[in-house]
């Protein structure tokens, strides 16, 4: 612009000189052309700038309008079917984990069942501005990019709201259109739902590794506890795992992975302390928690027998199908005593010396609470994976002399036809001996004590009892039964009800085909049934076989192990 002004000034000077008769007309014309070109250029540049500004403004207005329209038309979708699926968990009488059934290892829990320090740990690890952001955080994206480029701690660029939208409501594809939709839904979700609702949804769907979707399954799979029982250290460890779950899930069994996770765990705790979520004392006292071994061992074996029985009973109590139960996110509190169950399984697995050639020894053991019906022990086979058939419930075992105490006694109700049954199931005969121990009161056996869902109890068992024999008859039957000396330290006979043991079976001496052993106290009645068979082969069906010589000792040991392992 300065050059143009100088040219204009020079031209005016030349024009004045020409008018006064000085200078050359040829020089004045040349400078005039220069001035004209400079003026046109200046005017053209101004027009182009004004047009570009108008175009940019129009584009911005168009984009803003498009975003407004897109936001108004955005509908928050329903969660994916797989994120709505849950599994049902089975626990023993003390709350110890037995196993689960269902397509996805996930159970929903309300946010109130997740300690506040666990919530704060997840926020510290994944999205520190969660409580104040609008669902999308440009600062977080920039911070993640800078951290990644500088080689620092890996951080996610998405907010917790965006992660929830991506995991539960949208597909994981990496495309610009999906990212835009994710951002729009996140903003709308943040405006229509509370932060606690969003955090609850996130904690119930985010993947923690070890097959666990959601905080409840993660707490169980990593530490064997319920989510509400997590400690500060455990909560910070789970929050740290979210970053790379497929890698960190090996913590506790892989030293390198464990050390890497320890560093991230300390980073999370430091962030919690800086934000005031932890006191200085809590931070100083934090110790890296012990993880459950991973990968877990074989879960078939014994516990699947227990789960099978409890699953059918629980579905029946709720009036739903077994499949609906498995997908419903229930917690089934069973009556089983894991310590006694494991003791019996271990002793049964040891077998007896000198088994019959080509024959397989079967054992069925039941421990029932007299007068109540709660089943504490249910041993139905050596390994569910190889024998799903449950000998304790469905097996038909020759009773023989095991029925002698009930001969000549009028029995009512479920036991009325027992004396005429040559081969009852172990469960039926065990419940009869339990009724004898309860002075003639029969209690229907049950394996489900309580069922809960999302922390709310939906079913509670009540003993179903009825008198099936006079009390005096039960006492006479108890006196008739031949006493079986209890194992040392197992029981002390008391005058209440039938307290003692009985052995019976089919066949005698070396030809014994079945052996029944019962040992009862007022607190627990245990019955073991042993029989042997030759498996089907070459088109021939399975056939009974004689028991080995050590069967009687095994029977006594099994009932003794039950009473030793169970709470009395």
């Amino acid at each position: 612009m300065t050059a143009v002004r100088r040219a204009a000034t020079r031209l005016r000077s030349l024009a004045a000189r020409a008018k006064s008769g000085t200078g050359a007309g040829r020089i004045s014309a040349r400078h005039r052309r220069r001035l004209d070109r400079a003026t046109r250029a200046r005017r053209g540049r101004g027009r182009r700038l004004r047009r570009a500004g108008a175009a940019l403004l129009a584009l911005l207005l168009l984009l803003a309008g498009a975003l407004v329209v897109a936001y108004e038309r955005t509908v928050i979708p329903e969660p994916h079917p797989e994120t709505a699926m849950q599994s049902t968990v089975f626990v023993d009488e003390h709350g110890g984990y037995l196993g689960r059934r269902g397509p996805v290892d996930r159970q929903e829990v309300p946010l109130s069942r997740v300690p506040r320090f666990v919530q704060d740990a997840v926020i510290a690890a994944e999205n520190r501005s969660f409580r104040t952001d609008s669902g999308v955080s440009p600062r977080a994206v920039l911070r993640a990019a800078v951290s990644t480029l500088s080689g620092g701690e890996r951080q996610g660029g998405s907010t917790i709201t965006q992660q929830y939208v991506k995991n539960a409501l949208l597909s994981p594809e990496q495309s610009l259109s999906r990212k835009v939709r994710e951002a729009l839904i996140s903003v709308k979700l943040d405006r229509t739902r509370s932060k606690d609702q969003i955090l609850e949804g996130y904690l119930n769907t985010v993947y923690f590794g070890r097959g666990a979707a959601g905080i409840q399954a993660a707490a169980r799979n990593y530490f064997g506890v319920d989510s509400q029982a997590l400690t500060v250290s455990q909560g910070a460890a789970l929050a740290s795992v979210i970053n790379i779950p497929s890698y960190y899930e090996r913590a506790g069994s892989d030293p390198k992975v464990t050390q890497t996770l320890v560093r991230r765990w300390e980073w999370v705790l430091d962030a919690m302390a800086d934000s005031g979520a932890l006191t200085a004392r809590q931070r100083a006292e934090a110790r890296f928690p012990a993880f459950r071994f991973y990968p877990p061992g074989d879960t078939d074996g014994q516990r699947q027998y227990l789960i099978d029985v409890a699953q059918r009973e629980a579905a029946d109590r709720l009036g739903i199908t077994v499949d609906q139960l498995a997908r419903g996110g229930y917690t089934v509190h069973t009556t089983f005593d894991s310590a006694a169950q494991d003791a019996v399984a271990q002793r049964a697995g040891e077998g007896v010396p000198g088994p019959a050639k080509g024959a397989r020894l079967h054992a069925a053991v039941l421990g029932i609470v007299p007068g109540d019906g709660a089943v504490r022990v249910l041993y139905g086979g050596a390994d569910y994976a190889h024998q799903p058939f449950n000998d304790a419930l469905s097996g038909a075992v020759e009773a023989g002399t095991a029925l002698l105490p009930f001969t000549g006694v009028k029995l009512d109700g479920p036991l009325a036809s027992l004396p005429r049954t040559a081969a009852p199931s172990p469960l039926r005969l065990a419940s009869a001996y339990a009724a004898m121990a309860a002075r003639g009161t029969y209690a229907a056996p049950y394996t489900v004590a309580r069922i809960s869902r999302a922390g709310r109890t939906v079913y509670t068992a009540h003993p179903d009892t009825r008198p099936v024999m006079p009390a005096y008859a039960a006492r006479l039957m108890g006196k008739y039964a031949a006493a079986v000396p209890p194992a040392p330290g197992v029981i002390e006979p008391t005058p209440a009800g039938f307290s003692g043991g009985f052995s019976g079976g089919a066949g005698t001496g070396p030809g014994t085909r079945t052996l029944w052993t019962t040992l009862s106290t007022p607190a627990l009645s245990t019955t073991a049934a042993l029989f042997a068979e030759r498996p089907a082969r070459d088109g021939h069906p399975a056939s009974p076989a004689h028991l080995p010589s050590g069967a009687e000792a095994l029977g006594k040991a099994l009932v003794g192990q039950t009473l030793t392992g169970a709470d009395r």
Side-chain angles (χ1 to χ4, degrees):
M1 297 297 293
T2 303
V4 172
R5 290 193 185 94
R6 285 200 300 267
T9 301
R10 178 63 176 165
L11 186 60
R12 285 193 296 272
S13 175
L14 292 173
R17 289 167 59 191
K19 188 177 290 186
S20 61
T22 61
R26 180 170 50 85
I27 295 175
S28 175
R30 184 177 66 218
H31 283 281
R32 187 180 296 112
R33 287 194 297 272
R34 289 180 181 176
L35 178 62
D36 290 343
R37 286 196 297 271
T39 302
R40 287 195 299 271
R42 181 178 59 185
R43 292 173 179 172
R45 187 182 302 110
R47 286 194 299 270
R48 287 194 296 273
L49 288 174
R50 288 192 296 272
R51 289 172 182 172
L56 180 60
L57 179 62
L59 179 61
L60 291 175
L61 291 174
L62 181 63
L63 288 175
L67 285 174
V68 170
V69 172
Y71 176 82
E72 293 298 329
R73 297 182 63 181
T74 294
V75 177
I76 299 175
E78 292 295 321
H80 296 312
E82 57 268 25
T83 61
M85 291 180 184
Q86 303 183 63
S87 63
T88 286
V89 170
F90 297 81
V91 298
D92 67 13
E93 65 165 335
H94 301 298
Y97 179 68
L98 292 176
R100 71 174 182 88
R101 291 287 170 86
V104 179
D105 191 3
R106 188 179 78 87
Q107 283 189 299
E108 288 190 1
V109 292
L111 194 63
S112 59
R113 290 175 62 86
V114 181
R116 179 62 185 235
F117 53 75
V118 177
Q119 302 174 35
D120 291 336
V122 172
I123 292 172
E126 294 297 307
N127 179 196
R128 297 178 187 179
S129 64
F130 170 72
R131 297 287 183 188
T132 57
D133 65 37
S134 61
V136 177
S137 175
R139 181 185 299 177
V141 176
L142 179 61
R143 184 177 63 248
V146 171
S147 179
T148 301
L149 292 174
S150 63
E153 184 73 36
R154 178 178 172 179
Q155 301 177 34
S158 298
T159 63
I160 282 177
T161 307
Q162 285 177 277
Q163 291 183 56
Y164 172 63
V165 169
K166 179 178 67 175
N167 296 334
L169 309 181
L170 296 178
S171 67
E173 66 171 313
Q174 296 295 326
S175 66
L176 180 61
S177 61
R178 192 204 63 76
K179 291 293 290 184
V180 171
R181 189 164 179 236
E182 174 191 300
L184 289 172
I185 294 175
S186 298
V187 173
K188 196 159 196 173
L189 198 68
D190 189 79
R191 292 187 175 186
T192 56
R193 298 184 189 176
S194 69
K195 289 292 187 180
D196 281 352
Q197 287 176 313
I198 295 172
L199 185 59
E200 179 179 301
Y202 175 78
L203 289 174
N204 278 317
T205 55
V206 66
Y207 184 62
F208 284 88
R210 297 196 177 190
I215 188 68
Q216 175 73 353
R220 187 179 62 248
N221 290 2
Y222 281 90
F223 302 112
V225 300
D226 187 85
S227 61
Q228 65 185 115
L230 287 168
T231 65
V232 170
S233 293
Q234 291 171 340
L238 290 181
S240 303
V241 165
I242 297 174
N243 184 240
I244 320 176
S246 60
Y247 176 74
Y248 288 130
E249 68 181 3
R250 300 193 299 276
S253 58
D254 186 318
K256 182 178 178 182
V257 173
T258 303
Q259 188 56 42
T260 304
L261 184 61
V262 168
R263 290 194 294 269
R264 182 167 176 80
W265 172 80
E266 290 175 341
W267 175 76
V268 170
L269 287 176
D270 288 342
M272 294 175 68
D274 290 342
S275 67
L278 289 183
T279 64
R281 181 176 179 179
Q282 287 175 312
R283 175 64 187 94
E285 292 177 348
R287 298 292 181 271
F288 191 72
F291 280 41
R292 293 180 66 190
F293 180 76
Y294 185 82
D298 186 9
T299 58
D300 285 328
Q302 275 302 300
R303 295 190 172 185
Q304 295 304 325
Y305 289 110
L306 308 182
I307 294 172
D308 256 9
V309 176
Q311 177 179 244
R312 290 193 295 269
E313 184 176 322
D316 181 66
R317 296 293 181 265
L318 296 177
I320 59 179
T321 66
V322 167
D323 185 64
Q324 288 173 323
L325 177 79
R327 297 170 181 267
Y330 298 95
T331 297
V332 178
H333 302 260
T334 70
T335 61
F336 302 123
D337 186 321
S338 293
Q341 183 77 27
D342 293 343
V344 169
Q346 182 177 354
R347 181 61 187 89
E350 295 171 359
V352 296
K357 184 177 180 180
R360 181 182 176 188
L361 180 66
H362 289 257
V365 184
L366 285 141
I368 302 175
V369 177
D372 180 279
V375 178
R376 296 288 183 240
V377 171
L378 177 66
Y379 180 87
D383 190 343
Y384 184 90
H386 296 95
Q387 180 197 307
F389 183 83
N390 193 319
D391 286 328
L393 299 183
S394 306
V397 185
E398 288 182 282
T401 58
L403 290 175
L404 286 178
F406 304 97
T407 305
V409 178
K410 179 175 172 37
L411 301 177
D412 297 324
L415 301 184
S417 62
L418 179 63
R420 301 187 300 275
T421 307
S425 70
L427 175 64
R428 191 177 185 201
L429 192 53
S431 64
Y433 275 103
M436 186 189 300
R439 298 182 179 183
T441 298
Y442 172 86
Y446 67 95
T447 64
V448 176
R450 184 168 63 91
I451 304 173
S452 61
R453 189 182 193 189
R456 184 173 62 88
T457 297
V458 296
Y459 168 79
T460 301
H462 300 285
D464 179 10
T465 61
R466 69 190 73 180
V468 293
M469 65 184 82
Y472 76 88
R475 287 195 296 269
L476 289 175
M477 292 165 66
K479 291 179 180 179
Y480 174 80
V484 176
V490 173
I491 60 170
E492 289 296 334
T494 65
F498 163 56
S499 183
F502 180 78
S503 288
T508 58
T512 300
R513 295 186 301 274
T514 66
L515 177 68
W516 294 81
T517 305
T518 294
L519 195 59
S520 298
T521 72
L524 190 67
S525 179
T526 304
T527 296
L530 299 177
F531 65 97
E533 69 172 7
R534 290 184 175 85
R537 186 178 298 170
D538 300 329
H540 297 286
S543 59
H546 296 311
L547 289 170
S549 58
E552 184 176 358
L554 176 60
K556 293 180 181 179
L558 290 176
V559 295
Q561 288 284 9
T562 302
L563 290 171
T564 302
D567 291 334
R568 301 190 299 282

